[in-house]
Amino acid sequence: MKAMLLAAGRGERMRPLTDSCPKPLLKVRGRPLIVWHILNLVKAGITEIVINHAHLGQMIVDTLGDGSQFGASIQYSAEEQALETAGGIAKALPLLGDAPFVVVSADIYIPHFNFKECLNTLEDNDPWGNPHPPEQRDIAWLYMVKNPSFHPQGDFALTLMGLANEGEPRHTFANIGVYRPEMFASIKAGEYAKLGPLLRDYIDAGRIGGELYRGEWHNVGKPEQLQALNAPLQFTQGKA
């Protein structure tokens, strides 16, 4: 399995920090946000990684290089203008190959997520080894979290049959998902496209499953959130 880290966003809410540093390179507890993902992916045996970038993207390339320092192999998908999530994935498809791949937003903080869980989420066969017809296979698998205070309404309902656009209880998309490449086949390379409408369409078609992740998860959206995450480190250093 390959992985894609989404790192093309401008990080407007994180300004002025992101005026001179791309958001994925901001440090949490002494390590850039994007490096936490790379190390956890490598730990799970996922070493082929694609990273898209736009705003201050060369800084990401200069910092991470070819990935060898982490035991990974990194390729880059440069975007002149950020193409949004689905557009960025579609542009990177030639680098991602024909098999399902995991996609993670580079600016979330999930220090203990075990990416081994992603390896077999999209099975081609049923539990008895019989192949699913292509049109009936799950096309994506999303990881959900309990609704944070800033997003109390959630995104999707998690049911026994998969995800639903309506219903209760609702949970928030953790910005971690496993996708089949054909999900993005209708998007032209270089086309601006959001992920949300695509997800909702396939959820209505009954082709997206998911599960609830209960570990530590933070959407690092504002400087105050970054400061709060780093406060324990600062306190420890201050006492030393």
Side-chain angles (χ1 to χ4, degrees):
M1 172 176 276
K2 293 184 179 183
M4 182 172 183
L5 299 179
L6 301 172
R10 175 64 177 82
E12 287 287 350
R13 293 185 302 153
M14 195 62 81
R15 298 181 69 182
L17 298 177
T18 50
D19 288 340
S20 57
C21 178
K23 189 178 176 184
L25 292 185
L26 295 175
K27 290 185 177 181
V28 171
R29 298 173 185 173
R31 179 179 290 160
L33 283 163
I34 197 169
V35 173
W36 284 100
H37 297 320
I38 294 171
L39 294 176
N40 283 336
L41 285 165
V42 170
K43 188 186 300 183
I46 302 172
T47 59
E48 294 184 73
I49 300 170
V50 176
I51 299 174
N52 70 333
H53 62 78
H55 172 65
L56 301 177
Q58 191 58 44
M59 290 182 65
I60 295 175
V61 177
D62 292 343
T63 300
L64 304 178
D66 63 2
S68 57
Q69 61 181 311
F70 310 107
S73 174
I74 296 177
Q75 293 180 285
Y76 296 94
S77 178
E79 300 172 15
E80 188 173 338
Q81 296 284 336
L83 300 173
E84 266 290 352
T85 301
I89 295 171
K91 184 178 185 298
L93 285 179
L95 301 175
L96 291 166
D98 299 326
F101 50 84
V102 59
V103 178
V104 187
S105 292
D107 57 359
I108 60 172
Y109 178 60
I110 45 166
H112 308 300
F113 188 84
N114 183 1
F115 283 100
K116 287 183 179 179
E117 296 182 12
C118 301
L119 296 176
N120 299 308
T121 54
L122 295 182
E123 295 285 359
D124 291 336
N125 300 324
D126 65 22
W128 299 274
N130 301 310
H132 291 298
E135 68 277 5
Q136 294 180 13
R137 298 183 304 188
D138 278 344
I139 201 163
W141 188 271
L142 307 186
Y143 290 88
M144 312 296 290
V145 293
K146 291 184 177 181
N147 298 331
S149 58
F150 61 84
H151 192 57
Q153 72 276 18
D155 294 310
F156 308 114
L158 191 56
T159 74
L160 293 176
M161 300 303 294
L163 293 182
N165 287 311
E166 305 295 335
E168 298 290 341
R170 298 180 67 79
H171 299 290
T172 294
F173 178 35
N175 291 327
I176 309 166
V178 180
Y179 305 95
R180 295 185 188 274
E182 53 263 36
M183 179 172 171
F184 306 92
S186 63
I187 303 171
K188 296 178 181 178
E191 182 181 347
Y192 178 94
K194 293 187 175 183
L195 181 61
L198 200 60
L199 291 177
R200 286 189 284 273
D201 286 346
Y202 276 108
I203 286 172
D204 277 340
R207 295 195 59 195
I208 296 185
E211 64 186 273
L212 186 64
Y213 175 65
R214 301 179 184 275
E216 185 176 3
W217 177 90
H218 302 274
N219 187 338
V220 189
K222 297 181 179 180
E224 307 86 76
Q225 292 172 295
L226 185 67
Q227 185 177 11
L229 283 171
N230 285 323
L233 177 65
Q234 293 168 357
F235 180 77
T236 301
Q237 289 177 334
K239 289 184 64 177

